[in-house]
Amino acid sequence: MTPPRTPKIPYGGDYNPEQWPKEVWDADHRLFTEAGIDTLTVGVFSWSLTQPAEDTYDLPVLDRILDRAAAEGRQVCLATGTAALPPWLAKRYPEVNRTDFEGRRHRYGQRHNFCPSSPAYRSAATGLARRLAGRYAGHPAVLAWHINNEYGGVCYCDLCAEAFRAWLRDRHGTLDALNDAWWTAFWSHRYTDWDQIEPPSALTEHWRGPDHTAFQGITLDYHRFTTDALLGCFLAEKEAIRAHDPDTPVTTNFMGMFRPLDYHRWAPHLDFASWDSYPPLDAPPTVAALAHDLMRGLKDGAPFWLMEQTPSTTACRDVNPLRRPGELRLATFQAIAHGADAALYFQMRASRGACEKYHGAVIGHAGRDDTRVFREVAALGKELELLGGTTLGARTPARTALLFDWDSWWALEMSDGPSRLVRYQEVVHTHYRAAREAGADVDLVPVTADLAPYDVILAPALHMIKDDLAARLEAAATRGATVLATFLSGRVDEHDRAFLTDVPGPLAPLMGIRVDEWDARPEKTTNPVRLGDLTAEARLIFEIVRLRGAEPIGTYTTDFYAGTPAVTRHHVGRGEAWYIATALDQPGTAHIIRRILTRHDLIGPRTSHPAVETATRVAPDGTRLLFLLNHAPAEAHVTAPAPATDLLTGQRTERDKPFTLDPLGVAVLALQ
């Protein structure tokens, strides 16, 4: 099932009218109309309102909201409201409260506060979802169902311990297989009964926090178990909804590159992906773009929903900068350029109290329509009206893939050695940024993805190699693709056991190298790498490479391994395999990625300003859309690669004829 079909990009956001007296509702809807708001997410944290007691449901507020939305031509993404426990549930059934990493059973409070293994929670949550679906299935305002909210958190209670043991029986089958997978002969850990297994926590295998574990195998499996346990809660609510409403699309809002949950395991169960984008405002534009592309990749390139973004400022950080004039528009069109089929805000009206009262909102506490933020939201709404449904359902024609793997993320960062300074997300971003700044569209895909559509396959820090991945990468190179891997790749199998072969394990024949030693140094220690006319800085990890068929492209310049390869290339069939043995700086990584992209003619449209981002989507009718996004506070001069019309202004431009993008400006070109 695809995202819900609408005449234009759904535009609106999270609305919580229950926090406000009914007297302001009329004013809110007048302002919605003025701002072009046509979509509301309703009920995300409404559990204590809609079910004030175990046997009592109170739905008149939702009735009024949905009926009014339908009467005014607005659509609703209706939430089940099960993200935060109501007080009565926590008091009557203490088992629903989580036990934390240190072994403390929590009392009622905060938000992500439920145990995913609690039968009482599962029963109450599915009961509420069933009640809502039975009442609102077929309601003309309901566009989609929104289950829970930003799933996260880990529980270590006795219920989770028992559920973990059952999950392990299903995964490993026998204790002998489990002992082998976790390598329990180390430190006398061999298990002889399933009941001997405890969740890995501060009371068992960990020290100095969740990433410092004596047994990576058990901790890795607990990450997987937690992903599946929370997914089970989602699926139970979805099943309750489907009993009454078999057709309306169902989603839940993700959080981009969120380490605790493997979203690839969730993706098949969503009708469409959606996520909440709150990048640091001083981050490179590629940080948000990377997360957008990851969300698009969850459903094999299908469009996603931007479920939340702030119109102005966040409230959860120590310092919360304000979006400058034009930045909201630019961020919204960046999301659309990368595959968003909706643009929604948190929040529509500012909360009066509690921890989000200073979080940005379309409508402030005073309810005014003459603020800068409201005017920008309204102006953007008019532009989206002009865009209409042109971009809906459009796909990104990427020929470059970046393999993203939560198992590798977890395994790399919980490993003792070689260096805890290596962060998977940073390595991925460095390589993604290099490809995007060269103008290439990039698909972020799981390691199980079909690699046939791609000419370039980037696999940075692919620490874990599972199943037939190495063979599929070699097949891609043999047919002519270029495969790139980096330091600390190919080190462990699916259980986080080291391969009994030369590093980089199953990737070694493809890469044409062998690594016997590696040096880890403090972050300030550098070893320059000579790449022809360019010298790049390298840090953190310095693998000492021995050539086994590959050729050196870059070499270290200092220490006892000066002159040995730091970057290699291996010819494989009609293709190539590149290996980067150290953490190169951004210019060095960009140099290599550009060489690879050039080989496949994948350098994107050229502009005269390095701050202009390009992205391509192809509409269902075949129209090719080129987005030009100027991230600089100064004008940028650009050209179109073909005759084109800007869908936002109606202005026509000819091929290679320069035109100007305003500071933080956007153009959406329909190429001809």
Side-chain angles (χ1 to χ4, degrees):
M1 191 177 293
T2 58
R5 303 301 299 178
T6 61
K8 59 175 283 293
I9 291 175
Y11 188 56
D14 201 316
Y15 184 47
N16 302 294
E18 71 274 7
Q19 296 186 21
W20 293 89
K22 289 187 286 295
E23 289 74 21
V24 306
W25 289 12
D26 287 339
D28 287 348
H29 282 273
R30 175 183 61 80
L31 293 171
F32 293 161
T33 300
E34 186 178 337
I37 300 301
D38 57 27
T39 304
L40 301 174
T41 302
V42 173
V44 172
F45 293 111
S46 62
W47 197 341
S48 61
L49 174 74
T50 55
Q51 190 182 7
E54 185 167 14
D55 299 318
T56 304
Y57 293 89
D58 186 5
L59 301 177
V61 171
L62 281 180
D63 288 346
R64 288 195 294 271
I65 297 168
L66 290 173
D67 290 347
R68 177 148 192 177
E72 298 194 359
R74 271 183 267 281
Q75 52 205 7
V76 170
C77 184
L78 183 58
T80 59
T82 53
L85 301 172
W88 64 262
L89 181 58
K91 189 68 174 178
R92 182 159 187 178
Y93 301 99
E95 69 171 53
V96 303
N97 297 306
R98 281 183 176 153
T99 296
D100 66 19
F101 183 70
E102 284 75 28
R104 300 169 297 188
R105 168 80 78 178
H106 283 205
R107 299 194 176 198
Y108 177 76
Q110 296 190 42
R111 189 177 81 171
H112 290 300
N113 51 7
F114 66 89
C115 166
S117 304
S118 162
Y121 171 79
R122 186 76 64 93
S123 175
T126 55
L128 178 57
R130 188 176 300 111
R131 180 64 63 101
L132 293 174
R135 190 177 185 97
Y136 299 117
H139 193 287
V142 176
L143 179 68
W145 288 97
H146 181 311
I147 293 178
N148 206 283
N149 180 77
E150 295 183 337
Y151 278 97
V154 186
C155 183
Y156 298 87
C157 72
D158 290 342
L159 288 171
C160 285
E162 188 56 42
F164 182 45
R165 294 174 193 126
W167 184 93
L168 291 171
R169 288 189 195 98
D170 184 62
R171 177 174 176 81
H172 295 282
T174 68
L175 280 170
D176 284 343
L178 178 142
N179 282 310
D180 183 60
W182 291 356
W183 211 246
T184 57
F186 183 77
W187 282 1
S188 190
H189 267 51
R190 186 168 184 80
Y191 296 102
T192 57
D193 192 285
W194 293 101
D195 287 341
Q196 296 167 359
I197 300 171
E198 298 290 343
S201 70
L203 303 181
T204 58
E205 303 296 352
H206 284 255
W207 73 96
R208 289 196 303 167
D211 283 340
H212 295 75
T213 176
F215 278 81
Q216 284 77 32
I218 187 173
T219 300
L220 180 65
D221 271 352
Y222 207 72
H223 281 304
R224 292 164 170 160
F225 159 75
T226 297
T227 286
D228 287 350
L230 288 170
L231 175 58
C233 294
F234 170 85
L235 290 174
E237 289 193 48
K238 182 179 178 182
E239 182 180 2
I241 290 170
R242 285 286 176 252
H244 296 279
D245 185 348
D247 300 318
T248 304
V250 172
T251 192
T252 190
N253 50 335
F254 290 153
M255 291 178 282
M257 296 183 74
F258 180 61
R259 185 176 181 266
L261 296 184
D262 182 348
Y263 288 154
H264 286 138
R265 297 170 76 92
W266 288 61
H269 307 288
L270 302 176
D271 293 324
F272 64 97
S274 62
W275 84 288
D276 302 341
S277 179
Y278 296 103
L281 296 187
D282 59 352
T286 44
V287 168
L290 172 58
H292 290 316
D293 286 349
L294 177 62
M295 294 298 102
R296 188 184 73 242
L298 293 178
K299 299 292 292 181
D300 297 322
F304 60 90
W305 273 29
L306 177 59
M307 188 65 79
E308 291 183 18
Q309 65 170 333
T310 178
S312 55
T313 183
T314 57
C316 59
R317 299 182 171 110
D318 291 341
V319 177
N320 297 275
L322 180 66
R323 276 183 159 160
R324 268 49 186 169
E327 289 184 350
L328 171 63
R329 176 177 182 262
L330 181 62
T332 301
F333 275 108
Q334 185 189 41
I336 296 169
H338 286 267
D341 263 7
L344 308 182
Y345 299 107
F346 180 81
Q347 48 192 333
M348 291 306 301
R349 178 183 267 274
S351 175
R352 187 174 184 183
C355 64
E356 290 179 333
K357 64 180 177 293
Y358 293 132
H359 193 289
V362 174
I363 304 168
H365 295 117
R368 304 184 65 89
D369 65 357
D370 60 355
T371 65
R372 177 185 66 84
V373 170
F374 184 88
R375 289 197 303 267
E376 287 200 21
V377 169
L380 182 53
K382 289 183 172 61
E383 284 196 290
L384 295 180
E385 288 281 357
L386 290 173
L387 197 60
T390 305
T391 63
L392 294 177
R395 295 272 183 148
T396 299
R399 291 165 53 199
T400 298
L402 191 152
L403 301 187
F404 191 92
D405 184 46
W406 263 272
D407 280 340
S408 284
W409 191 352
W410 294 331
L412 175 66
E413 295 189 1
M414 73 174 68
S415 176
D416 270 0
S419 172
R420 292 197 180 274
L421 300 181
V422 176
R423 312 306 294 177
Y424 179 76
Q425 192 172 0
E426 293 174 3
V427 179
V428 166
H429 176 253
T430 295
H431 291 78
Y432 172 85
R433 179 178 179 179
R436 290 292 301 131
E437 290 182 346
D441 292 306
V442 180
D443 283 347
L444 264 78
V445 300
V447 295
T448 54
D450 178 10
L451 303 179
Y454 302 107
D455 296 323
V456 174
I457 301 163
L458 307 177
L462 193 64
H463 196 63
M464 181 180 292
I465 302 296
K466 296 171 285 190
D467 302 323
D468 64 344
L469 177 59
R472 291 189 294 114
L473 289 172
E474 185 166 354
T478 300
R479 65 166 166 81
T482 299
V483 177
L484 179 144
T486 74
F487 59 98
L488 298 182
S489 291
R491 294 300 188 102
V492 298
D493 66 11
E494 64 176 319
H495 303 299
D496 203 32
R497 301 173 304 188
F499 289 113
L500 300 181
T501 186
D502 293 328
V503 171
L507 298 181
L510 171 62
M511 295 297 141
I513 61 168
R514 165 181 150 195
V515 176
D516 294 340
E517 299 177 278
W518 45 89
D519 190 14
R521 304 300 295 274
E523 189 168 13
K524 292 183 179 179
T525 301
T526 64
N527 190 328
V529 171
R530 187 171 294 113
L531 296 162
D533 294 335
L534 174 71
T535 298
E537 296 293 337
R539 289 178 169 81
L540 302 182
I541 294 291
F542 311 95
E543 293 180 341
I544 303 172
V545 172
R546 301 178 68 176
L547 300 175
R548 290 295 181 267
E551 60 180 316
I553 300 297
T555 55
Y556 297 114
T557 60
T558 63
D559 219 311
F560 76 93
Y561 41 89
T564 66
V567 180
T568 62
R569 178 176 60 189
H570 188 212
H571 295 282
V572 181
R574 298 197 304 272
E576 296 177 350
W578 288 64
Y579 191 81
I580 304 176
T582 182
L584 288 180
D585 60 15
Q586 196 67 51
T589 305
H591 174 81
I592 293 167
I593 298 293
R594 289 188 73 89
R595 286 187 63 174
I596 292 171
L597 294 173
T598 299
R599 175 177 184 261
H600 296 278
D601 195 24
L602 291 179
I603 299 295
R606 300 179 186 276
T607 71
S608 61
H609 200 297
V612 174
E613 176 186 2
T614 65
T616 308
R617 295 182 73 181
V618 178
D621 65 1
T623 301
R624 195 172 186 88
L625 304 172
L626 176 64
F627 291 78
L628 301 176
L629 309 163
N630 181 15
H631 293 280
E635 290 183 346
H637 302 288
V638 298
T639 58
T645 300
D646 187 346
L647 298 180
L648 301 180
T649 65
Q651 180 180 351
R652 181 174 173 80
T653 183
E654 299 303 321
R655 177 176 180 174
D656 296 331
K657 182 179 179 180
F659 65 97
T660 300
L661 278 180
D662 291 335
L664 304 182
V666 174
V668 182
L669 302 183
L671 303 178
Q672 298 172 10

